Amino acid sequence: MVALVGDERLDYLFMDQSMQIIQSPTVFSYSIDAVLLASFASIPLTRGKIIDLCTGNGVIPLLISKNTQVPIVGVEIQERLFDMASRSVKHNQKQEQIQLIHDDINHMPCIFGNDKFDLVTVNPPYFKTTSEKQFNKNDHLTIARHEMLVTLEQVIDVSSRLAKPGGKVAMVHRPGRLVDIINLMRQYKLEPKRIQFVYPKAGKEANILLIEAIRDGKPDLKLLPPLHIFDQDGSYTNELQQLVY
């Protein structure tokens, strides 16, 4: 039986009752963003290597592991989140496939070298905070959501260096940062190839951006059909359920 600490709980991994993950409302609980990124990314199935930056409690490596045989690395700077991820990986008996590293993502090119991964996934802090007044009262949530310890430019720079030429970098972010993301990706030799906007429901503005780029790729951007999360009655849409099952 997995040991829980404080207000931690053991939840099923979204709609899948074959895997469970440790979460805490005061430390970290994953959101639909992670589920969408794991479904959106172009995952190598039998050959290659994957690295997930800003891995949090390990949700994306766990989700991806259901659909691939390749080794996955998850990197998390916060010790408490790293510990939660480690226990979740062990609980789901994924230690042979998923390796977790407690470190700053900026150190990864030195640890692994450049041009090593077929896929880099990242769910980075979203908010370019300019004032401490915007921080969460909870330090764990502030670090996870605000660019305190890593900036968007650093995330894209590191992702580009880790990806092989022809390798892919998949990111989930907010639509308001799209121009920044595209400009930085091109600056660091990542060519955006697929973009999908996600809407909470029909008639609402998009609140999630999914984008995938290829290292040293040629310009050829595809805009995927919009994805809606909820029907008008508040239930998950059929398109979402088909995507994540």
Side-chain angles (χ1 to χ4, degrees), residues 27 56 76-87 102-103 140 143:
V27 179
E76 175 53 47
I77 195 169
Q78 295 197 64
E79 184 175 3
R80 180 70 189 280
L81 272 63
F82 167 79
D83 179 64
M84 293 167 65
S86 299
R87 285 180 284 135
H102 175 217
D103 205 342
H140 294 292
I143 292 170

Side-chain angles (χ1 to χ4, degrees), residues 42 44 48-53 105 108-110 112-122 154-171 185 188-191 212-217:
S42 299
K49 293 191 297 184
I50 298 171
I51 188 166
D52 179 54
L53 307 177
I105 68 167
M108 293 307 104
C110 292
F112 291 104
N114 294 340
D115 310 334
K116 298 299 182 183
F117 291 90
D118 300 87
L119 172 64
V120 180
T121 57
V122 58
Q154 289 173 323
V155 166
I156 291 174
D157 178 20
V158 169
S159 297
S160 177
R161 286 192 280 160
L162 291 172
K164 294 178 179 179
K168 296 177 180 178
V169 175
M171 177 187 296
M185 281 185 164
Y188 288 100
K189 302 180 181 179
L190 294 172
E191 185 61 33
E212 186 175 76
I214 292 182
R215 165 80 187 280
D216 298 330

Side-chain angles (χ1 to χ4, degrees), residues 39-166:
S39 298
F40 173 79
S42 299
I43 302 171
L45 301 181
T46 57
R47 298 178 61 184
K49 293 191 297 184
I50 298 171
I51 188 166
D52 179 54
L53 307 177
C54 309
T55 202
N57 63 346
V59 57
I60 290 174
L62 287 170
L63 287 166
I64 288 177
S65 72
K66 298 187 298 180
N67 299 314
T68 182
Q69 300 174 22
V70 308
I72 305 167
V73 177
V75 184
E76 175 53 47
I77 195 169
Q78 295 197 64
E79 184 175 3
R80 180 70 189 280
L81 272 63
F82 167 79
D83 179 64
M84 293 167 65
S86 299
R87 285 180 284 135
S88 291
V89 167
K90 184 176 181 180
H91 175 68
N92 290 287
Q93 300 180 341
K94 292 285 186 175
Q95 306 98 307
E96 293 188 6
Q97 184 180 15
I98 299 174
Q99 172 193 1
L100 294 171
I101 297 177
H102 175 217
D103 205 342
D104 188 327
I105 68 167
N106 288 296
H107 299 160
M108 293 307 104
C110 292
I111 291 175
F112 291 104
N114 294 340
D115 310 334
K116 298 299 182 183
F117 291 90
D118 300 87
L119 172 64
V120 180
T121 57
V122 58
N123 182 1
Y126 291 152
F127 303 114
K128 188 176 181 179
T129 306
T130 56
S131 169
E132 291 187 7
K133 294 179 180 179
Q134 296 174 278
F135 292 165
N136 300 89
K137 293 181 180 180
N138 183 308
D139 287 343
H140 294 292
L141 298 179
T142 295
I143 292 170
R145 295 173 181 174
H146 299 262
E147 293 182 6
M148 286 185 61
L149 301 184
V150 67
T151 65
L152 178 61
E153 181 168 2
Q154 289 173 323
V155 166
I156 291 174
D157 178 20
V158 169
S159 297
S160 177
R161 286 192 280 160
L162 291 172
K164 294 178 179 179

Side-chain angles (χ1 to χ4, degrees), residues 14-29:
F14 200 56
M15 299 179 183
D16 181 0
Q17 297 195 3
S18 68
M19 300 181 74
Q20 292 179 303
I21 189 167
I22 298 169
Q23 307 211 90
S24 165
T26 60
V27 179
F28 187 88
S29 295

